[in-house]
Amino acid sequence: MIRAIIPVYNRPQEAEEILASLARQSFRNFAVVVVEDGSSVDCRAVAEGFRDALNLAYLVKPNGGPASARNFGVREGCDRCDDFLVFLDSDCILPERYMETVRRAVEGGTEFFGGADMASRDFSPMQRAVSYSMTSLFTTGGIRGGRRGGFIPRSFNMGVTRRLFDAVGGFSDMRFGEDIDFSMKVLQTGAEAVLLDGAEVCHKRRTDMRSFFRQVFHSGIARINLSLRHPGSLKPLHILPAFFLAGSLACLAAAA
């Protein structure tokens, strides 16, 4: 069984959008596990509204961050050792053939995959700008937007067998970069990371400048911690977001 694990924190509107996109999938034989991570504004009513459209489990836990929520979702929401786990962020929207693409990949023997990140046609100008800044060759080396070679799946759009998930002990307790750490641990088992064509998602992300800059800052912290856990993992292209951020701040200062 393919099971999608979606951690949610205070984002009922986003939860409704991703669940609606899952309800429109051309392939229907999959399950969804929504993990409410200690939200003060929960999405219980939203989840209940999709009971008839989806094979859905709604779980609640104290707040512990997305890594803890994903581990909880697997532990409490997946009762079969042969499950194929798909991890998605709540601010993603899936094209209608996403699960069909995943099904074909799983039947073809794929054990570990990541999908690219793209903008939707209905994104606002700010959403498009943020999407470009996180996927462009000039800002992140294209590592999120589908660049091949050294691809490392991210948890906003990632799939892995339950066997491999258990083999590496799930996600670590890192506050930032836990998904890259997870992928590196899976790769160390000898598994191949497949960049799965046709499994792209529209990733909305945060759309105000303060939140965006905070996200880039946290990414920098993650890279430092990852380089300590995985020596040699820090590459020149990982410095590109810092240059982009510095350039953006310089432009804003010049315009002030």
Side-chain angles (χ1 to χ4, degrees):
M1 172 68 75
I2 298 171
R3 294 185 192 269
I5 314 296
I6 308 171
V8 181
Y9 179 69
N10 288 339
R11 296 188 177 185
Q13 181 176 352
E14 289 182 356
E16 183 169 13
E17 290 175 345
I18 189 173
L19 291 178
S21 72
L22 284 164
R24 293 192 295 265
Q25 293 297 300
S26 58
F27 172 69
R28 307 288 298 171
N29 189 24
F30 62 90
V32 179
V33 180
V34 174
V35 183
E36 194 78 70
D37 187 32
S39 300
S40 57
V41 181
D42 66 43
C43 67
R44 182 183 296 275
V46 171
E48 290 296 332
F50 285 92
R51 289 290 186 186
D52 294 335
L54 294 168
N55 178 0
L56 189 149
Y58 175 76
L59 308 178
V60 180
K61 64 178 290 296
N63 180 254
S68 172
R70 295 185 199 108
N71 290 339
F72 183 85
V74 174
R75 183 172 66 250
E76 302 297 328
C78 306
D79 56 1
R80 292 171 48 173
C81 62
D82 61 343
D83 280 339
F84 191 91
L85 310 173
V86 176
F87 295 101
L88 300 164
D89 280 358
S90 63
D91 57 355
C92 291
I93 298 174
L94 281 60
E96 293 181 3
R97 298 191 65 80
Y98 178 94
M99 282 297 180
E100 174 65 25
T101 299
V102 173
R103 178 191 69 82
R104 291 180 179 178
V106 172
E107 291 180 352
T110 295
E111 293 188 304
F112 183 42
F113 81 82
D117 181 349
M118 62 182 183
S120 172
R121 292 180 179 178
D122 61 355
F123 274 15
S124 68
M126 183 62 186
Q127 287 174 322
R128 287 182 176 276
V130 171
S131 178
Y132 177 83
S133 69
M134 298 303 292
T135 61
S136 169
L137 177 66
F138 302 106
T139 54
T140 62
I143 53 178
R144 294 172 182 259
R147 185 183 64 86
R148 297 182 183 278
F151 178 73
I152 296 180
R154 266 72 168 176
S155 57
F156 70 87
N157 183 11
M158 169 196 291
V160 65
T161 62
R162 177 67 183 270
R163 179 187 67 81
L164 282 173
F165 181 90
D166 290 341
V168 302
F171 291 89
S172 71
D173 60 358
M174 290 181 67
R175 182 64 184 91
F176 309 113
E178 78 291 339
D179 54 346
I180 301 176
D181 174 64
F182 175 83
S183 289
M184 289 179 173
K185 291 190 296 182
V186 173
L187 291 172
Q188 288 167 3
T189 70
E192 177 187 4
V194 175
L195 175 56
L196 190 58
D197 290 330
E200 300 83 7
V201 301
C202 298
H203 197 180
K204 299 179 70 174
R205 290 193 180 89
R206 298 167 178 84
T207 55
D208 64 89
M209 295 301 291
R210 182 177 181 181
S211 296
F212 171 64
F213 286 138
R214 186 186 301 118
Q215 183 178 14
V216 174
F217 177 74
H218 290 163
S219 295
I221 294 175
R223 279 297 169 188
I224 295 172
N225 292 331
L226 286 166
S227 68
L228 296 175
R229 288 192 177 215
H230 305 276
S233 62
L234 187 63
K235 306 296 182 183
L237 65 85
H238 297 139
I239 304 174
L240 289 176
F243 282 118
F244 175 78
L245 180 58
S248 299
L249 291 174
C251 291
L252 290 173

